[in-house]
Amino acid sequence: MIHVTPARRPYALLAAAIVLVLLGAGVAWGVGDALGLSHTPAAVPHEDVAAPPRRVAAPAPPLASVVVPDEPRTRKAGAAVADAVAARGLPRPAVTTSAPTPAGTPLPARAPDLSRVTTLRAGVLPAPAGAAESYRLGVRGAELAVDGTDVAGAAAGLYRLADRIRSGAEALPAADAGRLVTPRLGLRLTDAGSVGREPDPAAFAAGDDYHLNTDVVGPALLPRAPWVDAEAVARVDAQFRQFVDHSVAQGYNAVVVPGFLEYVTFAKVGDGHAVYPPGDTHVDRARAMVAAFGPVFGYAEEMGVKVFLLTDMLAVSPPLEAYLTRTVGGLDVADPRLWAVYQAGLAELFESMPFVDGLMVRVGEGGEVYAADGWDYSSKLAVTTEASVRAMLRALVDTAGRAGREVIFRTWTVGVGAVGDLHTNPESYARVLGGIDDEHLIVSTKYTLGDFYSHLPLNTTLLAGAHRRIVEFQARREFEGFGSLPNDLGPLHRQALRAFLAANPRVEGVWNWTQDGGPLRAGPMSLYLRTGFWQLYDLNTYAVARLAWDPDADPAQVTADWAYRTFSADPDTVAAIGQAMALSRRAVTGGLYIGPYADRSVRALGLEPPPMMWIFEWDIPTGDSAALDSIYAVSGGRVEEAVDEGARAVTLARRMRDLVAATDPATWRDAGLREHFARTLDYQVNLFETLAAYRTMVLRHAQWLDTGSPAAHDGWRAAASAYRVARDVHRQRYGADLDLPAYHFTAADLGAERADRDPAMAWAARALLALILVVVLLGLRGRGPGGAAARGLLLGTVRPWRVAALPAPASRADRVLVWLVPAVVLVASRLVFTWFAAPAHLLVSLGGWALFALVVRLAVGRRDPFHLWAVVGGVALLRSVLLLAALAGRGPGAYWFAFWTAPALRAAYVTAAVAAFGWLFVATAVVLRDRYAVRRRRVVGLTLTAAGVPLGVLAGLVALIGLERALTVWNDQMALLPWGLSRILGITVYLGIPTGLPGYAAGVGAALAGAGLLLSMRPGRRAA
């Protein structure tokens, strides 16, 4: 028998509704605070670029002999001069050596006449104060002379002379005769280039290897004794020597080589076996590594090049981590006892590899993606607090200082931990590093206020600070085609360097990345000095060295020198290349960036999205609504400007192509290089055409979502057709090209496919709303076929306390329709919401409703469930009406557009949606008590169980699958966040989501269900 409790005044329910609305408002505030889209104008440097004027090459001096001190560096430098003379078509002079005795009388400062000079003589003069690594060029008697203040200075003078001869420049300008030339920056580092990397066509063809390990010794590793492959070591040795020789010739004097832990045995810890016990293979392997690679990297010392080893901290191996756990209690990176172990390892390193001049440390990146295959050394993102950074630096700098070495600390903390803004925030820089005043500490910082993107301000942390500073530059710009596009950064780099030097006298060096940055094999198969069209980005390496010596050097002249020495001696060809390169920055910044967005400093999701957000991490045009809608919103209605920018970039790329194509092939030294250049520019035109079409499509789509304009709709559809044609042509031409690989449009296509369905989804939502309206009208009438079911659903939606008094319908149709109609609407509305393309979302959302319904249905047992379905179905309709109303305008795309970009609309919707969701539990409890006479305590228990079971089951399922994998599948189907996020960085890592969250949620769900079951089984009084 059904007991019906008389209807009460719904004041208690009104209070519950108010609480639910307040709860919804709180959730809406939290969501808005988490998303937090905001933007301000960015102080983007203005790049003042000019093409070099046409020039006729100056005659090369007719040298017959080159006499240099008998030192490895000067012998190499002398040979470079001889090679440069031969490259100009003259007989190669003989290179002889002499003892490194002081040179003769001072060189006169007068205009030289080199037409009759046949001998070049290099010598060493006593160095004036502060003039190390300096030189003078001039004519002494009948000889061209290079006087160095030391061997390094003599070599530098010879290399500069060789560069001038090879570049077609005047070998000895009158203004330079007898002038002491001293490098403005005394520390000029490079990375290790492409040393140790192999041009593996299969690996590069896949294009999806996003590992970031840059270790140079990987190809030589063996899994067992003798631990290293001698032949592979010889190949690495040859590559390293080639790279060092090239770098020294360009003007660099230091190299950064990845490595640290793999060379250390920790013999200075305890009895020598505390970390690695007797017989541990780490010891034998480290000794083999030192014996094999010590002579390899020691070659740099012969050439006067400092060697810094590079490591992420915290670097660990399993035995080391176990030892730290035993002795320190874990990886407590603020504990001096932990750092004492690393101090011992560093001291051992300096003894076993005495040529190493210091250690470079990074704390902002690490983990599995940086680990080398085949060994168990890895790194952890553990040094994330002010205390741990300071403890680390004090320990390492103290050890380095005692050994006469240095520590270079990179400020690249990229949002990790409490020191996450150390790289970009001068206040954080001062707070974290202030007071650590030691001349053995050097701080290294990227010149941009962020990563190596264009459209970013100069890094303000480099304008001050009491520490020795070096500035980081990237020649092979990873975010701008990995060096596959012409990209003359000389003017921008000069502007940055001069700004820092003018503001901060502690800036004393540069670190130029010739190859590093980004994944090793996810871009073109270009390996510096060895494979591909590396000459294109060698311009930026060449320019940084020239600017480090002389920040006032003319970048246009540097580009002309590079073009002459690399491609052609013909004045017209050199001028054409110079003009093309002068257009390169405008082309790249216009073709790869959306200017109205990129010129703003943006914050979203608590992060600082990069200025190239529409192309995610290197070569993936994104299709996600979060990025594309935000770009549109930040652009502030400047759609026409953004669209025109893409078209202008195509025009510039075509102009560059025409300039190079118009050059006479016979004037190029190497026909292969001309072909490379021409193919590169064809590729750039095609790529920019494709990206311009895609840019137009996504911006017009967002404009239509925002305004509903028919013109925007028509522009979107036309651009969508143009994009698909351009994409197919791009894939066909470059899909199998290793030098000029096609961009990956998978994510773009996912977004485009869903956008295409927006209009149809809007109509489907309107149809469902019409169906619900019919239900409402039937419910108001309350008679006829389906009338009882409709009446029950209507009351269940808005007045659940009246449902108990409804008579049970006699019609079977009403008993079916009362649950079937809400079920159909619920499923259909979620299908519409997901564009019929996201089963993962349906599994979670509909699975939650199904499990809830199952629990409450079991609760009423054999009693008539009509009234229960009326309430549950009514709330389901209410929840669906809210969703469908948001979809009926312009489909799910408009829903997400408002979610990302319209705070007021988002807050109103989230408030209502959360309140409606909470209303489900209140209304269900009411009907259980009033219609089914369930005891009050048992009502609470059953409601808790009904809430806990879906949470526990679904969260447990996600925990079983893995949160990262589950989010990846869901995001791939919904296209809300960048598709590449999980494949490159990881959604959980990037957004800081604890990977154990599903497990905790499953535990909470189980606890709720368990508590509910206990409550529902305990006796209590019947409800009044």
Side-chain angles (χ1 to χ4, degrees), residues 67 129 140 202-203 319 335 373 377 407 409 447 451 618 630 633 651 655 684 764-765 824 839 847 899 902:
V67 184
R140 182 182 291 114
D335 193 324
D373 295 331
Y377 300 109
V407 170
F409 173 61
Y447 83 94
D451 213 338
W618 307 298
S630 297
T651 300
R655 174 61 179 154
Q684 182 173 22
V824 169
F899 184 83

Side-chain angles (χ1 to χ4, degrees), residues 852 855-856 859 921 925 928 934-949 1005 1007-1018:
F852 178 86
V855 172
V856 295
F921 303 101
L928 288 175
V934 178
R935 302 171 188 271
R936 192 186 306 272
R937 188 185 301 275
R938 192 161 183 262
V939 164
V940 174
L942 289 173
T943 305
L944 287 176
T945 302
V949 168
L1008 287 175
L1013 288 173
L1014 288 175
L1015 284 172
S1016 64
M1017 289 188 296
R1018 293 183 61 182

Side-chain angles (χ1 to χ4, degrees), residues 812-972:
R812 178 172 177 79
D814 284 306
R815 294 178 180 279
V816 172
L817 289 174
V818 77
W819 63 263
L820 181 60
V821 169
V824 169
V825 171
L826 195 66
V827 172
S829 63
R830 271 56 183 182
L831 284 168
V832 171
F833 176 64
T834 60
W835 297 278
F836 286 73
H841 186 90
L842 297 179
L843 175 64
V844 174
S845 60
L846 298 180
W849 279 98
L851 288 170
F852 178 86
L854 176 63
V855 172
V856 295
R857 176 64 185 86
L858 292 174
V860 301
R862 298 181 178 181
R863 289 169 288 184
D864 184 357
F866 174 83
H867 299 80
L868 174 68
W869 294 143
V871 168
V872 174
V875 178
L877 288 179
L878 173 63
R879 189 68 183 78
S880 297
V881 165
L882 290 173
L883 177 60
L884 291 169
L887 300 177
R890 285 177 286 280
Y895 172 100
W896 288 109
F897 180 89
F899 184 83
W900 301 121
T901 68
L905 288 176
R906 179 180 63 232
Y909 179 84
V910 171
T911 299
V914 170
F917 175 73
W919 187 244
L920 173 66
F921 303 101
V922 173
T924 301
V926 169
V927 77
L928 288 175
R929 186 187 62 181
D930 289 354
R931 179 66 190 183
Y932 298 100
V934 178
R935 302 171 188 271
R936 192 186 306 272
R937 188 185 301 275
R938 192 161 183 262
V939 164
V940 174
L942 289 173
T943 305
L944 287 176
T945 302
V949 168
L951 177 62
V953 171
L954 296 175
L957 177 63
V958 172
L960 182 65
I961 296 172
L963 181 59
E964 182 64 38
R965 182 182 175 192
L967 287 175
T968 298
V969 172
W970 173 78
N971 188 57
D972 285 355

